[in-house]
Amino acid sequence: MEKILVTGSTGQLGSELKVLSENYAQYEWVFADRTDVSLGNLDLLKGQLERIQADVILNCGAYTAVDKAETETELADVVNHLAVEVLATYAKEHGVKLIHISTDYVFDGTSSTALKEVTNTNPINVYGATKRAGELAAIAVNSDIVIIRTSWVYSRFGNNFVKTMQRLLKERDTLGVVNDQIGSPTYAADLGQAMIDIINAQEWIPGIYNYSNEGEISWYEFVLAIQEITGDSCEVSGIPSSLYPTPAARPAFSLLDKSKIKDVYGVGVPEYRESLKKCLMFKV
């Protein structure tokens, strides 16, 4: 029985994979939090991987506090870059399949067309820079891995944009939401299923792939979609990002082209409204 290690098991994606794993009893699943697999401590990490001896690693762990990364640069680099290199090296040495999750933040947001895997990267914040460094380091030591870039991840688990907006739509009479950052959200359960589909595929085809739900929207339009489902009466208006400054710059355009992952692995990519409805059905 193949053993699948999921890092970052208490995060949004790891939590959704734990639910999905119940449908795949042919595998032995190991769900590791930051104490079981310490991406922030490279000395511990190597020994932990040796003890677990997985056949497949799904690296869902990351330093994702985008604004805090601007000041916690060293920790962000260890988790998003150096630890990924350790995982890729271990996978190479032990013949282990590795799927690593990356981000749309490796791009600078200046494109006006959907971003392909070969589009030039140019991160504009520390988080994006450390994630890109992790991609490059991993590929340099192990070309036989799968990297999936995703965007605007949300889930029924953890803290995320959808949950925050659900709360604010109920608490406030008016709400201003950024309308000049364009992309597409990703329901973590859909991304988790895509990862499992890749594991189950007849052929392992390494490389970088994009995955998010279908649709091209702004954060403002995303909130309108949430409101349409919840029926809250809050008055929502679009505002420019210049009125909502953050420590870390955000790419203005990060819509991902998903044609490669669909063509190579036959992965399903649901429309964002359908996935949003599914997520909002759950009460956690």
Side-chain angles (χ1 to χ4, degrees):
M1 180 183 289
E2 277 196 315
K3 183 186 290 187
I4 300 176
L5 168 63
V6 178
T7 69
S9 66
T10 58
Q12 297 183 79
L13 181 54
S15 297
E16 294 287 4
L17 276 165
K18 191 171 290 186
V19 174
L20 290 166
S21 70
E22 295 171 8
N23 300 322
Y24 298 92
Q26 70 268 36
Y27 299 115
E28 178 186 350
W29 294 85
V30 178
F31 290 92
D33 62 19
R34 65 183 62 183
T35 57
D36 302 315
V37 173
S38 306
L39 298 177
N41 187 323
L42 303 184
D43 293 330
L44 282 178
L45 178 58
K46 295 170 187 174
Q48 290 167 331
L49 294 173
E50 294 284 356
R51 282 193 294 277
I52 294 169
Q53 293 190 336
D55 301 291
V56 179
I57 298 174
L58 307 182
N59 185 33
C60 307
Y63 182 106
T64 56
V66 176
D67 289 324
K68 282 178 70 177
E70 295 295 307
T71 51
E72 294 187 351
T73 309
E74 188 175 342
L75 178 58
D77 190 64
V78 169
V79 176
N80 292 342
H81 166 204
L82 301 178
V84 179
E85 184 176 26
V86 171
L87 291 172
T89 301
Y90 176 85
K92 175 77 170 180
E93 292 172 350
H94 295 80
V96 170
K97 293 176 180 175
L98 170 63
I99 300 180
H100 168 64
I101 300 299
S102 192
T103 175
D104 59 316
Y105 277 38
V106 299
F107 299 108
D108 61 15
T110 59
S111 175
S112 57
T113 57
L115 299 154
K116 296 183 179 290
E117 291 80 359
V118 295
T119 303
N120 287 338
T121 57
N122 184 31
I124 57 174
N125 58 39
V126 170
Y127 168 69
T130 59
K131 291 293 286 184
R132 179 55 177 157
E135 290 181 358
L136 292 170
I139 293 169
V141 297
N142 185 355
S143 60
D144 196 39
I145 63 174
V146 167
I147 293 173
I148 302 177
R149 291 174 179 156
T150 192
S151 61
W152 300 17
V153 177
Y154 69 95
S155 163
R156 64 183 123 156
F157 301 104
N159 298 313
N160 55 67
F161 181 81
V162 170
K163 282 188 172 182
T164 300
M165 291 303 114
Q166 275 186 281
R167 176 175 56 80
L168 293 179
L169 285 168
K170 285 179 170 55
E171 291 176 356
R172 297 189 183 179
D173 296 323
T174 61
L175 185 61
V177 185
V178 169
N179 62 3
D180 57 1
Q181 292 174 8
I182 306 299
S184 188
T186 305
Y187 181 28
D190 293 337
L191 176 56
Q193 186 61 58
M195 297 170 80
I196 293 172
D197 289 347
I198 290 172
I199 296 168
N200 288 335
Q202 289 188 330
E203 188 179 359
W204 176 260
I205 303 172
I208 296 176
Y209 296 86
N210 293 335
Y211 190 93
S212 67
N213 287 124
E214 296 287 14
E216 179 178 345
I217 57 170
S218 66
W219 290 107
Y220 164 67
E221 290 168 313
F222 194 22
V223 174
L224 292 182
I226 296 168
Q227 185 180 40
E228 188 178 316
I229 296 166
T230 62
D232 293 302
S233 58
C234 175
E235 184 182 329
V236 182
S237 57
I239 62 171
S241 51
S242 58
L243 291 182
Y244 189 73
T246 54
R250 264 67 170 176
F253 184 92
S254 59
L255 181 67
L256 300 173
D257 183 312
K258 278 80 67 172
S259 54
K260 181 180 176 183
I261 200 167
K262 289 190 280 190
D263 292 344
V264 173
Y265 280 110
V267 163
V269 183
E271 200 270 338
Y272 85 92
R273 287 177 190 271
E274 297 309 309
S275 293
L276 180 60
K277 286 176 190 172
K278 283 184 188 174
C279 182
L280 294 179
M281 281 169 46
F282 292 104
K283 303 293 182 189
V284 177

